[in-house]
Amino acid sequence: MTATIAGIQVPDSPMAREATSLVREAADDVLFDHSRRVFLWGSLKARARGIAVDPELAYVGGLFHDLGLTETYRTKHQRFEIDGADAARSFLLDHGRSAAEAQEVWLAIALHTTPEVPLGLPGNVAVVTLGVETDVLGLDLHEITDDEREAVTAAHPRPDFKRRILQHFYDGMADRPDTTFGTMNDDVLAHFDATFERGDFVGVILGSSWPE
């Protein structure tokens, strides 16, 4: 049965239902509800801004964007964003979507913690960042009406979300600290671990193999 939340129809195709089941099994309530809200907020903002998106691609992008934080899908050698992006691309290709479509969702997830850049790319890329920036950072909440906000959070509550999502970020990256270099993710590790030492971009340049 197709659900409509805050005027946004949640995709209910066989592929969408399988995506829901996959993420529901891999993620706890915090990440699952967050991921569904990301789809909903992103779709609402895309509609308000006149940005065209493919609802199914937006849905997979939203659902899979934090999959790299879960025990099932996270690796230790690359950024968590890429873990989720790789899983989404494989999922879409396995379900008959084109390589170009799968690549857009890969970019949407891989870049969702990179400020500004996704918003200059096609709608299927931008929509995930629009949703993430709304749910995690509270950016541009004025674009969401009170009724829409109440409908989304009634369907997918966010109790103590700020603290709980930060803990999930830390748990998903603590064993691969080098992957946070050059990203905002190192702020999370520094918040939880007083012994964490950030990489130094200036030091990398000055210490490179190039002679003066």
Side-chain angles (χ1 to χ4, degrees):
M1 179 177 176
T2 302
T4 299
I5 301 171
I8 299 297
Q9 184 171 310
V10 179
D12 191 41
S13 67
M15 184 183 80
R17 291 196 297 272
E18 187 171 335
T20 303
S21 296
L22 183 154
V23 178
R24 178 70 279 186
E25 182 176 345
D28 66 1
D29 288 346
V30 175
L31 287 182
F32 180 75
D33 285 328
H34 164 57
S35 297
R36 291 263 292 194
R37 290 195 305 269
V38 163
F39 161 71
L40 293 164
W41 300 137
S43 298
L44 286 166
K45 283 190 171 179
R47 185 174 67 185
R49 298 184 186 192
I51 299 173
V53 300
D54 179 315
E56 285 203 334
L57 297 184
Y59 189 65
V60 172
L63 279 190
F64 280 58
H65 84 279
D66 275 346
L67 206 57
L69 296 173
T70 68
E71 291 187 10
T72 304
Y73 288 92
R74 72 176 180 236
T75 66
K76 293 186 179 180
H77 67 278
Q78 63 185 11
R79 291 172 55 169
F80 86 88
E81 300 95 329
I82 298 176
D83 292 338
D86 286 348
R89 179 164 57 191
S90 295
F91 178 86
L92 288 166
L93 292 174
D94 288 346
H95 285 80
R97 300 306 292 249
S98 72
E101 291 169 330
Q103 182 65 10
E104 283 194 331
V105 177
W106 189 94
L107 287 170
I109 297 173
L111 293 174
H112 82 266
T113 59
T114 303
E116 298 187 47
V117 174
L119 302 183
L121 295 173
N124 292 328
V125 179
V127 66
V128 173
T129 290
L130 288 173
V132 170
E133 289 182 344
T134 303
D135 205 49
V136 179
L137 305 179
L139 299 185
D140 299 318
L141 284 177
H142 65 275
E143 295 182 26
I144 308 293
T145 69
D146 290 343
D147 287 345
E148 290 168 344
R149 190 184 310 186
E150 290 177 8
V152 170
T153 55
H156 296 287
R158 38 175 307 171
D160 197 21
F161 177 69
K162 295 177 183 180
R163 183 191 63 81
R164 295 171 80 187
I165 194 62
L166 284 171
Q167 187 66 58
H168 276 69
F169 290 156
Y170 177 71
D171 292 344
M173 296 184 289
D175 60 355
R176 43 176 163 177
D178 290 346
T179 67
T180 68
F181 174 66
T183 78
M184 66 183 70
N185 296 327
D186 62 359
D187 289 340
V188 175
L189 298 192
H191 174 76
F192 284 93
D193 181 1
T195 68
F196 171 66
E197 295 184 7
R198 301 172 187 263
D200 181 2
F201 178 61
V202 173
V204 171
I205 295 173
L206 294 177
S208 77
S209 300
W210 284 103
E212 287 298 318

